Amino acid sequence: MEKSYQITGMTCSACAGRIERTLNKLNGVDKANVNFAAEKLYVSFDDKNINESEIVSAIKKAGYNIAGKNAKSEMPAHKKLLIRFIISMIFTVPLLIISMGHMVGMPLPKIIDPMENPLNFAIIQLALTIPVMATGYMFYLKGIKNLFRLSPNMDSLIAVGTLSSVVYGIFAIYRMSYGLGVGNEELVMKYHMDLYFESAAVILTLITLGKYLESLSKGKSSQAIKELMELSPKIATVRRGKKELQVKSELVQIGDTVIVKPGEKFPVDGTVTLGTTSVDESMLTGESMPVTKNVGDKVIGATVNKNGYIEYTAEKIGEDTAISQIIKLVEEAQGKKAPIARLADVISAYFVPAVILLAIIAAVGWKIAGESNDFCITIFISVLVIACPCALGLATPTAIMIATGQGAKNGILIKGGEVLENAHKINTVVFDKTGTITEGIPVVTDIKTNGINENDLLLYAAAAEKLSEHPLGDSIVKEANSRNITIPEAENFESISGMGIKAVVNGKQIIIGNEKMMNEYKIKDDFISQITTFANQGKTAVICAVDGKAAGIIAISDQIKETSRSAVSKLENKGINTVMLTGDNKQTALTIAGYAGIKNVIYEVLPEDKAAEIKKIQESGKITAMVGDGINDAPALAQSDVGIAIGSGTDIAIESADIVLMNGSLEGVNTAIKLSHATIRNIKQNLFWAFGYNILGIPIAMGLLHIFGGPLLNPMIAAAAMSLSSVSVLSNALRLRNFKADA
């Protein structure tokens, strides 16, 4: 069983790691995965060994909560953080003025002047700091709790650092009070300017600001999902009996007759029973051109009815609709971690305790070197604050969230971070032919006549083929219909297996089939030899004889998609090798491949052998993507490093492919690869800044520059830098929202 939960109370990637470790230890839990950026837990478990209540209990014991169904009505996290930041600022600003204003010539009232009343000067700072600490109580509640559990996180660093500052300040007040009591002015002067209350307050305020900006950015990063969820209409019009009713979309039942007027959205999936219209399916496919819908055609929930009155039968509702499946797929994708993300998680798990140890070593080392307590405390606090690994934890999941969301906007469904990481390594793309490079629908391309009018030939052929179940026959009937030819009823229909058909149409004997069929009925004519020309073009030639004479040849072919050649060309220009893999004969395969611009062709391959051919390519050292229909090519899709399915909106082949192209255009292959390159590049940039920040910041905080006569890193500056690093990583990730698909 698989479940997802919205987690509250996480403040950094270490929190996510703690939840994962807690759940993965439970008997019956197969795998627990937390997406920190989305604040979502995905857990697979055996419900025979463990139930949901036990999982929820374990999460709560770890110090976190699960958002209830009414979570949407609660105040958003970023608004709560904004309020906390404002409250903190109200007390921090006057605290800074009091503690540091006199240094820049700002006069203070005599009662709190550091020279006149040093004890009051210190006490007023403590009084202003306490409300700031109270506002940031969550840092202490979670940080200290996790510290005692030997699972320190970013909150632990903040809690220990700021508490150290305040405890030292309280100690200084005690020593000043003692000095005043015994008349030791020197003792009072020693401590009155070495207080760290403002450092603690500013650290908490800046970190709260950073958390607010982080929360705001995380909200933006998940915007794609929100937009998808908002696409479905809230109200549906249904006919039940003789009444038309307005009901909530979630109350529509299978079998309901749903009415959709021009400009309205389809509330659920179904089949048109009345009316003709054009439908905007851009939210599903990324294609801007409307699609014509007639009786019998499928319509998808959340798409827009452009110009006609439509009635249709509801067939898929609730979680079964295409839009719900897409949302589910994107959410799951955002929760799946790329290998590069798992590396960051491992580093983060060891990073926090290592930082605490480094802070202690640095403080003790400087004390041994003869520095003052104030100096050592400054070092200790600065190391703790600057090393908080928030940026590290956000570097990967945020980029993946935005990338998968952008993919969905462009009609490309991506199954997760690992897929993105694999996709950017692709150097060979293997295409199926039918339904992938070609439309998958045979159409009449050429008509050659021999002493007969084209329309008359089509009339005889269509009348006979109308009774046939062969797909080539269907294409002839469609061609006749497209020319508005009235097709008469055929008589004495007979199908000859492997050769063709015969029938009587308007009193004439009609024989349709291949050359073997013509030989069978002793129909000889030099005209028939023209079928060789069509065969060389990859087309199937159907010979039609009327009353024992060869009357014409109808050439039928599966047409190449308009986008196939340009898509292949773009891949080749990127240095990506292209291959066509098909079960068709050599001549047809080479012809279609030539049209598409593919030079490497593997033909006459049985469906069950396609996976083996993919494996051969992989064994030659190629990172391979397979592009197919997602059903017939399932084994090959699964074998490839990245399986890319051609989707239709209602059948997106989720199980067989890693990436689904909703609009069926091969341009999506280029877009998916381009998106993967942009995402991995963005993640590497994020990790560089996150690691670089810590690698550079920790030695400075430990006093490296001071050894060579340079300055110390003030804890307040460290707090600002830490917050800025998280915001900068998030801002860089948000640049992916500007991603543009290939034109």
Side-chain angles (χ1 to χ4, degrees):
M1 183 179 286
E2 293 186 2
K3 286 283 185 179
S4 64
Y5 303 94
Q6 197 71 36
I7 303 296
T8 61
M10 292 191 298
T11 56
C12 67
S13 59
C15 297
R18 175 173 174 76
I19 295 171
E20 288 177 349
R21 289 193 297 274
T22 299
L23 295 182
N24 284 324
K25 290 177 182 177
L26 298 177
N27 183 37
V29 173
D30 300 320
K31 187 178 181 181
N33 182 36
V34 176
N35 184 340
F36 171 55
E39 297 180 333
K40 211 155 189 179
L41 162 68
Y42 302 86
V43 58
S44 301
F45 62 96
D46 185 351
D47 57 358
K48 294 178 182 177
N49 295 323
I50 190 170
N51 55 48
E52 283 192 71
S53 61
E54 291 175 285
I55 293 172
V56 172
S57 178
I59 295 168
K60 290 181 177 179
K61 283 182 181 178
Y64 308 94
N65 292 304
I66 293 176
K69 293 182 179 179
N70 63 340
K72 291 182 180 179
S73 62
E74 296 175 0
M75 184 182 292
H78 69 274
K79 288 188 177 181
K80 290 181 181 178
L81 287 165
L82 179 61
I83 292 170
R84 289 178 185 174
F85 169 69
I86 292 170
I87 294 171
S88 296
M89 282 291 291
I90 290 170
F91 292 95
T92 300
V93 170
L95 174 59
L96 279 172
I97 294 171
I98 292 169
S99 63
M100 305 180 74
H102 63 280
M103 298 179 185
V104 293
M106 294 180 66
L108 290 175
K110 187 176 179 180
I111 193 170
I112 56 171
D113 187 279
M115 304 306 296
E116 298 284 340
N117 290 288
L119 188 60
N120 290 352
F121 175 71
I123 291 172
I124 189 66
Q125 290 184 58
L126 174 61
L128 290 168
T129 303
I130 289 173
V132 179
M133 295 178 73
T135 303
Y137 75 97
M138 292 301 294
F139 296 124
Y140 301 103
L141 188 67
K142 295 175 182 178
I144 295 172
K145 187 187 290 185
N146 287 328
L147 192 62
F148 280 109
R149 288 173 173 167
L150 301 179
S151 182
N153 61 359
M154 191 197 78
D155 292 338
S156 304
L157 300 183
I158 296 167
V160 173
T162 56
L163 277 174
S164 299
S165 302
V166 174
V167 168
Y168 179 79
I170 293 171
F171 173 74
I173 289 174
Y174 164 74
R175 294 295 291 163
M176 289 166 65
S177 181
Y178 174 79
L180 288 171
V182 299
N184 188 343
E185 190 174 333
E186 184 179 342
L187 184 63
V188 175
M189 291 296 110
K190 177 184 177 182
Y191 284 101
H192 87 292
M193 295 305 292
D194 289 325
L195 305 168
Y196 284 96
F197 294 121
E198 81 284 353
S199 293
V202 171
I203 287 169
L204 289 168
T205 302
L206 288 175
I207 287 173
T208 302
L209 174 61
K211 289 288 181 186
Y212 164 70
L213 296 174
E214 182 183 305
S215 180
L216 205 61
S217 297
K218 284 196 291 188
K220 289 181 180 178
S221 71
S222 58
Q223 191 64 30
I225 285 289
K226 293 176 183 175
E227 289 175 359
L228 284 173
M229 293 176 74
E230 291 170 359
L231 285 173
S232 297
K234 302 294 187 286
I235 302 295
T237 304
V238 299
R239 180 181 291 117
R240 292 173 181 170
K242 295 182 180 181
K243 292 183 178 180
E244 287 189 11
L245 305 172
Q246 299 279 320
V247 301
K248 291 182 178 179
S249 294
E250 58 263 31
L251 298 179
V252 174
Q253 301 173 6
I254 294 175
D256 275 344
T257 296
V258 185
I259 298 169
V260 184
K261 297 174 183 177
E264 294 180 345
K265 292 181 178 180
F266 294 89
V268 296
D269 300 2
T271 300
V272 177
T273 56
L274 177 68
T276 299
T277 189
S278 57
V279 178
D280 180 0
E281 294 184 341
S282 58
M283 50 68 59
L284 193 71
T285 66
E287 288 291 315
S288 58
M289 291 297 293
V291 180
T292 301
K293 299 289 182 180
N294 298 303
V295 174
D297 290 336
K298 301 288 185 182
V299 289
I300 311 300
T303 57
V304 182
N305 182 18
K306 298 290 287 183
N307 52 27
Y309 175 93
I310 284 287
E311 292 185 10
Y312 73 102
T313 302
E315 294 175 344
K316 292 183 178 180
I317 60 174
E319 294 183 353
D320 294 328
T321 62
I323 189 67
S324 295
Q325 291 297 313
I326 292 169
I327 292 169
K328 183 182 177 183
L329 179 61
V330 176
E331 283 183 331
E332 288 176 351
Q334 293 180 343
K336 291 180 180 178
K337 295 179 180 178
I340 197 169
R342 289 193 285 269
L343 174 64
D345 287 345
V346 170
I347 293 170
S348 294
Y350 292 100
F351 192 76
V352 175
V355 166
I356 293 174
L357 184 62
L358 284 172
I360 294 170
I361 291 171
V364 172
W366 281 110
K367 185 63 181 177
I368 294 171
E371 294 291 346
S372 67
N373 291 336
D374 300 336
F375 184 96
C376 296
I377 288 173
T378 299
I379 293 289
F380 180 75
I381 297 169
S382 296
V383 172
L384 290 179
V385 174
I386 201 167
C388 292
C390 259
L392 189 62
L394 290 166
T396 302
T398 310
I400 289 172
M401 283 181 67
I402 297 169
T404 50
Q406 289 299 113
K409 279 186 176 181
N410 287 282
I412 301 167
L413 302 185
I414 302 166
K415 275 195 166 182
E418 188 168 359
V419 175
L420 284 165
E421 189 161 347
N422 289 336
H424 101 285
K425 302 173 185 175
I426 291 170
N427 52 32
T428 301
V429 178
V430 181
F431 295 97
D432 174 48
K433 181 182 78 71
T434 306
T436 301
I437 292 175
T438 66
E439 296 287 354
I441 304 171
V443 295
V444 174
T445 59
D446 304 89
I447 300 175
K448 293 282 185 180
T449 59
N450 187 27
I452 190 173
N453 179 274
E454 273 192 17
N455 283 359
D456 288 341
L457 179 70
L458 276 173
L459 182 146
Y460 294 131
E465 292 286 5
K466 195 174 181 180
L467 301 175
S468 171
E469 295 180 355
H470 200 283
L472 296 182
D474 187 54
S475 65
I476 293 173
V477 174
K478 284 182 178 178
E479 179 66 20
N481 287 330
S482 71
R483 299 189 182 198
N484 295 318
I485 296 171
T486 302
I487 302 172
E489 293 294 325
E491 299 173 339
N492 302 327
F493 174 85
E494 185 180 352
S495 176
I496 314 300
S497 181
M499 291 192 289
I501 61 171
K502 65 177 186 175
V504 175
V505 180
N506 292 344
K508 296 183 181 293
Q509 183 70 45
I510 308 299
I511 298 174
I512 302 172
N514 53 25
E515 196 169 9
K516 189 176 179 181
M517 182 79 165
M518 298 300 114
N519 291 332
E520 179 73 18
Y521 287 88
K522 298 181 172 48
I523 298 171
K524 307 281 185 183
D525 196 312
D526 290 340
F527 173 78
I528 295 174
S529 64
Q530 295 185 51
I531 62 172
T532 306
T533 303
F534 293 122
N536 291 336
Q537 296 172 353
K539 299 174 182 178
T540 301
V542 176
I543 306 163
C544 181
V546 180
D547 288 338
K549 181 185 177 184
I553 298 171
I554 300 173
I556 300 167
S557 175
D558 184 5
Q559 296 291 88
I560 189 171
K561 291 180 180 177
E562 291 182 6
T563 58
S564 293
R565 187 170 183 84
S566 63
V568 169
S569 177
K570 288 176 183 178
L571 288 170
E572 292 284 352
N573 290 338
K574 290 176 181 175
I576 297 173
N577 189 40
T578 57
V579 180
M580 191 175 82
L581 180 64
T582 179
D584 270 353
N585 63 72
K586 180 180 179 180
Q587 187 58 56
T588 300
L590 291 175
T591 302
I592 297 297
Y595 289 151
I598 299 174
K599 297 175 183 176
N600 304 298
V601 185
I602 305 171
Y603 46 83
E604 297 177 3
V605 180
L606 295 172
E608 58 267 30
D609 295 332
K610 285 187 176 182
E613 293 293 337
I614 296 292
K615 191 174 182 180
K616 286 180 186 177
I617 296 171
Q618 291 172 318
E619 287 172 348
S620 68
K622 305 292 186 181
I623 307 298
T624 306
M626 171 69 191
V627 187
D629 64 9
I631 300 171
N632 300 329
D633 301 306
L637 289 166
Q639 175 63 45
S640 63
D641 297 289
V642 179
I644 303 176
I646 302 295
S648 63
T650 55
D651 179 12
I652 60 176
I654 291 174
E655 296 302 320
S656 57
D658 303 303
I659 297 172
V660 180
L661 310 180
M662 297 297 292
N663 64 9
S665 169
L666 293 190
E667 290 286 4
V669 178
N670 282 287
T671 301
I673 293 174
K674 181 181 176 183
L675 180 60
S676 73
H677 279 277
T679 305
I680 298 302
R681 184 167 59 249
N682 191 277
I683 289 172
K684 288 179 177 178
Q685 291 168 352
N686 289 345
L687 290 174
F688 172 80
W689 287 113
F691 280 120
Y693 161 83
N694 286 304
I695 291 168
L696 182 65
I698 291 174
I700 294 173
M702 292 177 71
L704 180 64
L705 296 181
H706 191 71
I707 295 175
F708 303 100
L712 287 178
L713 185 67
N714 188 286
M716 289 185 289
I717 297 175
M722 188 279 288
S723 298
L724 184 63
S725 78
S726 294
V727 174
S728 61
V729 164
L730 281 162
S731 299
N732 187 55
L734 286 169
R735 290 194 305 113
L736 283 170
R737 296 181 72 192
N738 299 322
F739 173 82
K740 301 293 184 186
D742 284 338

